[in-house]
């Protein structure tokens, strides 16, 4: 009777780590600290562990499964998932099914090794990412995926020099059109509510579009009318309260997301002002809730159905070895009661 060959699970047991950590340590992944890598590799030598070439070769086989990873977003409350993505998820589910692929949906935290957990573990042929929290942290993870030649695509900002392929909304021109509409209603003191730091590149592009629309109208941007806020109703509410407490005149609010704008509506009404007569409100995203606020929220609509289909088709092309460039899809204005015409 031949002696049983040691496995990575044997190493994991002796090292007191997970099997995924063993896999990473044996390929010198920087996500495993040096001490753990050394301990795992030493145990592997002691056990005379050899990588199973047949198992490795299985990784080259197609699973016909795509992984959809929804990343945590601390701005969206207890759920940590931006509701904007829900309709896009539905589109991705439909698109993968139409193309005879299965979809593995998972909620991720930034501490996890995405490639090892999905492609490298032969659970999926490629990965779609929705949401990123802080972009500066996120892009470091994407750089690591590039180093491993992973097949992945992201929904989000399209920036010079960023890793991988990304599909995103034309945030700049969408915001520019939204603010131009507010200006056409006679609004001149338009507040922008949303973070504009390096960790929020999509909001930053919306702010740049806001600034350009004001410049087009010959209006100087007032930095005091910009206030940071994460993507939540609560953040929008408190940001709009802060604007009111500054004592500055504003006759319109452009929220960097619908959730921010919806929170701002509550604060404006509590301040005794009427929407849209005293203050017009504009959001961005066109989440389902936007049509059911009182008054219904005007917004910039991102085409989530098209986005989901493009993400799936582009990922499948990448998996077949095609070279793709990142690109933007246009956004459209949806005018409702919160921007009810000239005063």
């Amino acid at each position: 009777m031949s002696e049983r060959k040691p496995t990575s699970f044997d190493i994991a047991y002796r090292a007191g780590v997970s099997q995924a950590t063993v896999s990473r340590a044996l390929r010198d992944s920087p996500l495993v600290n040096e001490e753990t890598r050394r301990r795992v590799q030493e145990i592997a030598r002691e056990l005379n562990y050899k990588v199973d070439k047949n198992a490795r070769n299985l990784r080259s086989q197609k699973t016909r499964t795509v992984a959809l990873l929804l990343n945590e977003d601390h701005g969206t409350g207890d759920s940590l998932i931006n509701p904007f993505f829900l309709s896009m998820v539905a589109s991705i589910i439909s698109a993968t099914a139409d193309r005879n692929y299965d979809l593995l949906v998972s909620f991720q935290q930034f501490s996890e090794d995405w490639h090892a957990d999905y492609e490298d573990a032969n659970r999926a042929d490629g990965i779609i990412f929705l949401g990123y929290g802080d972009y500066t942290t996120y892009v470091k993870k994407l750089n690591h995926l590039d180093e491993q030649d992973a097949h992945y695509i992201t929904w989000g900002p399209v920036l010079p020099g960023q890793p991988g392929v990304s599909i995103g909304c034309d945030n700049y021109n969408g915001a520019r059109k939204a603010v131009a509409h507010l200006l056409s209603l006679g609004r001149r003191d338009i507040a922008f509510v949303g973070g504009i730091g390096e960790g929020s590149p999509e909001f930053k592009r919306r702010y740049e579009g806001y600034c350009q629309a004001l410049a087009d109208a010959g209006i100087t941007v007032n930095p005091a009318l910009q206030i940071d806020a994460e993507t939540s109703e609560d953040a929008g509410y408190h940001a709009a309260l802060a604007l009111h407490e500054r004592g500055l005149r504003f006759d319109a609010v452009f929220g960097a997301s619908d959730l921010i704008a919806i929170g701002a509506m509550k604060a404006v009404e509590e301040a005794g002002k009427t929407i849209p007569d005293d203050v017009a409100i504009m959001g961005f995203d066109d989440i389902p809730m936007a049509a059911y606020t009182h008054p219904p929220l005007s917004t910039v609509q991102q085409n989530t159905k098209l986005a989901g289909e493009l993400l799936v088709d582009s990922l499948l092309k990448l998996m077949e070895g095609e070279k793709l460039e990142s690109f933007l899809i246009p956004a459209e204005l949806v005018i409702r009661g919160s921007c009810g015409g000239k005063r």
Side-chain angles (χ1 to χ4, degrees):
M1 183 175 177
S2 61
E3 185 179 348
R4 184 179 71 87
K5 292 181 180 180
T7 69
S8 59
F9 291 99
D10 296 322
I11 300 172
Y13 177 77
R14 296 221 0 211
V17 297
S18 69
Q19 190 272 341
T21 298
V22 169
S23 175
R24 296 166 199 156
L26 292 178
R27 53 186 170 82
D28 286 320
S29 169
L31 295 178
V32 180
N33 66 60
E34 184 178 351
E35 180 182 350
T36 301
R37 289 204 307 269
R38 190 184 306 116
R39 185 170 76 252
V40 167
Q41 291 169 4
E42 182 178 340
I43 293 170
R45 285 191 296 270
E46 290 174 0
L47 295 176
N48 196 27
Y49 173 78
K50 303 293 183 183
V51 175
D52 188 336
K53 292 183 179 179
N54 290 328
R56 176 186 284 173
N57 290 338
L58 283 174
R59 294 190 190 123
S60 65
Q61 296 179 5
K62 299 294 185 182
T63 66
R64 295 204 66 82
T65 298
V66 168
L68 171 60
L69 273 56
L70 288 152
N71 291 302
E72 60 186 358
D73 187 343
H74 292 289
T76 53
D78 293 338
S79 72
L80 298 181
I81 297 177
N82 191 328
F84 162 71
F85 289 126
L86 297 180
S87 56
M88 196 180 295
V89 169
S91 176
I92 291 170
I93 291 171
S94 176
T96 50
D98 288 345
R99 290 148 184 81
N100 296 315
Y101 271 78
D102 292 325
L103 186 67
L104 175 62
V105 182
S106 179
F107 179 69
Q108 295 294 296
Q109 296 181 332
F110 285 106
S111 60
E112 294 166 344
D113 185 343
W114 299 328
H115 184 257
D117 290 344
Y118 290 90
E119 269 202 82
D120 212 32
N122 202 40
R123 296 172 67 191
D125 299 329
I127 307 171
I128 297 172
F129 291 103
L130 297 183
Y132 52 83
D134 180 85
Y135 185 74
T136 54
T137 301
Y138 177 70
V139 77
K140 293 177 183 177
K141 301 278 284 187
L142 296 184
N143 278 319
H144 182 59
L145 288 178
D146 272 1
E147 292 170 1
Q148 297 175 311
D149 295 322
H151 301 110
Y152 72 94
I153 194 162
T154 65
W155 170 265
V158 174
L159 303 174
Q162 72 182 38
V165 175
S166 183
I167 300 174
C169 171
D170 188 348
N171 293 291
Y172 176 84
N173 284 307
R176 189 174 177 180
K177 287 191 289 187
V179 176
H181 176 76
L182 291 170
L183 291 165
S184 75
L185 301 178
R187 313 298 165 136
R188 291 295 179 270
D189 301 302
I190 303 170
F192 182 94
V193 182
I196 58 173
E198 295 302 317
S200 304
E202 291 178 289
F203 281 11
K204 185 178 180 183
R205 285 297 281 165
R206 293 170 194 178
Y207 181 68
E208 290 167 352
Y210 155 90
C211 292
Q212 187 59 56
L214 293 178
D216 292 342
I219 297 174
T220 301
V221 175
N222 181 355
L225 286 177
Q226 184 275 322
I227 187 163
D228 287 347
E230 295 182 320
T231 303
S232 73
E233 299 99 319
D234 189 61
Y237 171 76
H238 285 99
L241 284 182
L243 278 171
H244 183 69
E245 290 166 359
R246 289 179 182 180
L248 295 170
R249 168 182 163 77
F250 61 95
D251 55 13
V253 173
F254 179 30
S257 74
D258 285 347
L259 292 178
I260 289 172
I262 290 167
M265 291 175 76
K266 184 174 186 290
V268 166
E269 290 173 339
E270 286 185 2
K273 297 184 181 296
T274 302
I275 302 170
D277 294 340
D278 299 322
V279 179
I281 307 284
M282 176 75 71
F284 202 111
D285 287 336
D286 196 27
I287 61 175
M289 188 193 314
Y292 296 96
T293 59
H294 182 73
L297 179 65
S298 296
T299 187
V300 181
Q301 182 185 72
Q302 302 192 61
N303 190 333
T304 54
K305 184 178 187 301
L306 175 62
E309 292 171 350
L310 289 173
L311 285 166
V312 172
D313 285 339
S314 297
L315 178 61
L316 297 185
K317 290 177 182 178
L318 289 171
M319 286 156 44
E320 293 300 321
E322 289 191 38
K323 300 294 184 183
L324 300 179
E325 298 292 330
S326 299
F327 62 92
L328 299 173
I329 61 176
E332 300 297 332
L333 284 183
V334 177
I335 303 304
R336 301 188 180 107
S338 67
C339 296
K342 296 183 179 181
R343 289 172 295 175

